[in-house]
Amino acid sequence: MMGRNMHLMEIHLKHSLPTTNSDIALKKYKRSLFVLNSLLYPCALLVWGGSWLAIKWQAGVVPSPLSILYRFGLAAAIMLLLVIVLGKLQQTSRRDQLFCLLQGACLFSLNFIAFYQASHYIASGLVAVVMSTATLFNAGHSQLI
């Protein structure tokens, strides 16, 4: 009985402990990805969940599509500046550019126009709930595309 338990423990240790430097590096990499994702998800929820406040402040005299143009135009200019300053600008193919255009239209134009219009008719708390679930829907839809 003792020999069998010792053999099972050896098998367990063999599969659970890294045996080479590359195994150690892989485990560290996977752990760092887990930590990074664990931090990024709440950040995304806070940003997306707080969008209702910007929508509430911007909904008013200016037409919704124009408010969206101001908001995301400013965000795009800031992001482009950051990418250039940090040297992270990447070349993309025409196909990838079209995909990014389609993704931007769906994620940052059409749905925000709908949210801005809806914010005139529904409570801001409901807008906040729907906006905070956008992250989950985006993650789910990314598996389909």
Side-chain angles (χ1 to χ4, degrees), residues 72-119:
F72 289 108
L74 178 62
I78 291 170
M79 290 299 293
L80 181 61
L81 181 66
L82 279 172
V83 168
I84 291 171
V85 167
L86 296 173
K88 300 287 184 177
L89 190 61
Q90 299 178 0
Q91 294 291 329
T92 54
S93 67
R94 176 73 64 187
R95 182 175 180 221
D96 289 341
Q97 289 175 5
L98 290 173
F99 179 76
C100 289
L101 180 67
L102 176 65
Q103 187 178 22
C106 292
L107 290 177
F108 302 112
S109 294
L110 302 176
N111 73 335
F112 273 86
I113 290 172
F115 279 117
Y116 274 65
Q117 294 301 321
S119 68

Side-chain angles (χ1 to χ4, degrees), residues 10 19 46 94 115-116 126:
E10 287 174 2
T19 57
L46 288 172
R94 176 73 64 187
F115 279 117
Y116 274 65
L126 186 56

Side-chain angles (χ1 to χ4, degrees), residues 4-138:
R4 178 182 154 95
N5 287 343
M6 188 61 103
H7 177 68
L8 291 175
M9 190 176 356
E10 287 174 2
I11 291 173
H12 174 72
L13 287 173
K14 180 179 178 185
H15 292 290
S16 64
L17 292 176
T19 57
T20 65
N21 285 341
S22 63
D23 290 338
I24 293 170
L26 182 62
K27 282 192 178 257
K28 284 183 180 180
Y29 176 72
K30 285 182 178 182
R31 175 73 180 151
S32 67
L33 280 181
F34 176 76
V35 170
L36 181 64
N37 287 335
S38 297
L39 295 173
L40 287 177
Y41 180 71
C43 289
L45 280 179
L46 288 172
V47 169
W48 281 95
S51 291
W52 69 272
L53 194 54
I55 291 172
K56 183 178 178 182
W57 289 340
Q58 284 185 308
V61 180
V62 178
S64 297
L66 192 56
S67 286
I68 294 167
L69 178 68
Y70 293 154
R71 183 175 173 194
F72 289 108
L74 178 62
I78 291 170
M79 290 299 293
L80 181 61
L81 181 66
L82 279 172
V83 168
I84 291 171
V85 167
L86 296 173
K88 300 287 184 177
L89 190 61
Q90 299 178 0
Q91 294 291 329
T92 54
S93 67
R94 176 73 64 187
R95 182 175 180 221
D96 289 341
Q97 289 175 5
L98 290 173
F99 179 76
C100 289
L101 180 67
L102 176 65
Q103 187 178 22
C106 292
L107 290 177
F108 302 112
S109 294
L110 302 176
N111 73 335
F112 273 86
I113 290 172
F115 279 117
Y116 274 65
Q117 294 301 321
S119 68
H120 293 290
Y121 304 104
I122 60 176
S124 60
L126 186 56
V127 174
V129 170
V130 173
M131 287 300 290
S132 66
T133 62
T135 308
L136 300 174
F137 284 111
N138 290 340

